[in-house]
Structures are given as structure tokens and as C-alpha cells.
């Protein structure tokens, strides 16, 4: 069973505490969004995709409610400091592949949401043109 990201008032979250006491639940403050980023890391390469999730009410809270016709996805240039931090994370975590999710706030702050060491990438590649599959193939065929 899974639930998309859902906005709750503090009282609503407190009222649910007992019901989810033994379930994997992540509660965090809501962060206003200008757009979101999915960054796929393959070895030392980073592929950033901007997701304009705020274009439609269906994806404002969680872009995984997919409205692809109204939610543009595009290759995106990643801030150099974010790139350095991601490379450092990959090294320290011993990861060769991961998918990172970020929120970019209206003021331009990049906020880390999560990392998935087995995150999907096919739709990102299809919608953005980023060569993620080729990078994975190169990695798998390399002698590393």
C-alpha cells in the first residue's frame, strides 16, 4: 500500500499518529515550489531534469500524480555547488547509480527531498532527451 504525498494540517498529522505508528511514514514541512528536479547519477555523470510540476493542480503537491501532457520535463543545468555535493554524496555512500529529488523554491533555493538508489529514469530520458540509458550501458560495459 502506498500513498502519494499529501498535504496535512499539523492537527491532521497528529490525529493519524496512532494509526501509522508501525508504518514507514515520512512527515516533513511543506516547501513551496517553483519547480522540481530529478537528478539521475550514473558513475560520475549527473543528468538533471526540470519538472514543471506547478503547471497543473494535479501535480502541484506530488509530480508522481503524472499529468505529462501539462507538466513539461526538460534537461537542466545543475548549479555547480549542488553538483559537487551530489558527487561527494555518491562517493561517501558508495553508490554508482541513484536518483535524487529536489524542490527549487520560488526564491531559487534548492531543497533536497530524497535519494533513491534504484530510482526509475525511463520517462525522464524519454521526455528530456537526456542520455541516461547510454551512460548506464557504458558503465555496465566498462571495466570498473
Amino acid at each position: 500500500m502506498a500513498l502519494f504525498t499529501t498535504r496535512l494540517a499539523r492537527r491532521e498529522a497528529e490525529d493519524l499518529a496512532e494509526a501509522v505508528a508501525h508504518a514507514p511514514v515520512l512527515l516533513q514541512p511543506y516547501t513551496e515550489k517553483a519547480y522540481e528536479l530529478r537528478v539521475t547519477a550514473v558513475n560520475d555523470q549527473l543528468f538533471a531534469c526540470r519538472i514543471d510540476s506547478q503547471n497543473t493542480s494535479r501535480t502541484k503537491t506530488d509530480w508522481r500524480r503524472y499529468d505529462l501532457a501539462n507538466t513539461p520535463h526538460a534537461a537542466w543545468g545543475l548549479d555547480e555547488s549542488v553538483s559537487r555535493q551530489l558527487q561527494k554524496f555518491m562517493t561517501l555512500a558508495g553508490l554508482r547509480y541513484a536518483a535524487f529529488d529536489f524542490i527549487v523554491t520560488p526564491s531559487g533555493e534548492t531543497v533536497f527531498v530524497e535519494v533513491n538508489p534504484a530510482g526509475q529514469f525511463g520517462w525522464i530520458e524519454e521526455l528530456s532527451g537526456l542520455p541516461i540509458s547510454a551512460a548506464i550501458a557504458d558503465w555496465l560495459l566498462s571495466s570498473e
Side-chain angles (χ1 to χ4, degrees):
M1 179 184 279
L3 180 66
F4 287 111
T5 302
T6 303
R7 290 183 74 167
L8 299 173
R10 178 182 221 65
R11 184 70 183 146
E12 290 174 299
E14 290 169 352
D15 289 346
L16 290 172
E18 188 176 324
V20 298
H22 301 290
V25 175
L26 174 65
L27 298 175
Q28 62 192 54
Y30 185 77
T31 303
E32 292 296 330
K33 306 170 186 177
Y35 56 91
E36 298 179 66
L37 296 174
R38 165 58 74 96
V39 180
T40 307
V42 181
N43 270 341
D44 60 351
Q45 297 180 74
L46 298 174
F47 301 95
C49 178
R50 175 179 167 148
I51 304 172
D52 286 307
S53 60
Q54 302 308 286
N55 282 12
T56 175
S57 61
R58 184 169 167 178
T59 60
K60 277 186 183 289
T61 302
D62 191 334
W63 55 258
R64 296 172 302 169
R65 293 183 186 264
Y66 302 115
D67 182 2
L68 297 178
N70 298 303
T71 309
H73 288 57
W76 194 251
L78 207 51
D79 179 88
E80 188 59 37
S81 67
V82 173
S83 293
R84 281 193 306 273
Q85 291 172 6
L86 290 178
Q87 294 290 1
K88 185 175 182 178
F89 179 92
M90 294 293 289
T91 300
L92 291 172
L95 295 174
R96 306 300 267 169
Y97 174 88
F100 295 86
D101 292 319
F102 294 92
I103 292 169
V104 179
T105 68
S107 66
E109 179 185 7
T110 303
V111 178
F112 172 79
V113 177
E114 69 174 342
V115 60
N116 185 334
Q120 297 180 18
F121 63 90
W123 96 99
I124 292 288
E125 182 173 62
E126 182 178 324
L127 295 173
S128 69
L130 291 165
I132 301 168
S133 293
I136 292 171
D138 289 346
W139 163 42
L140 294 173
L141 294 171
S142 73
S143 59
E144 296 181 52

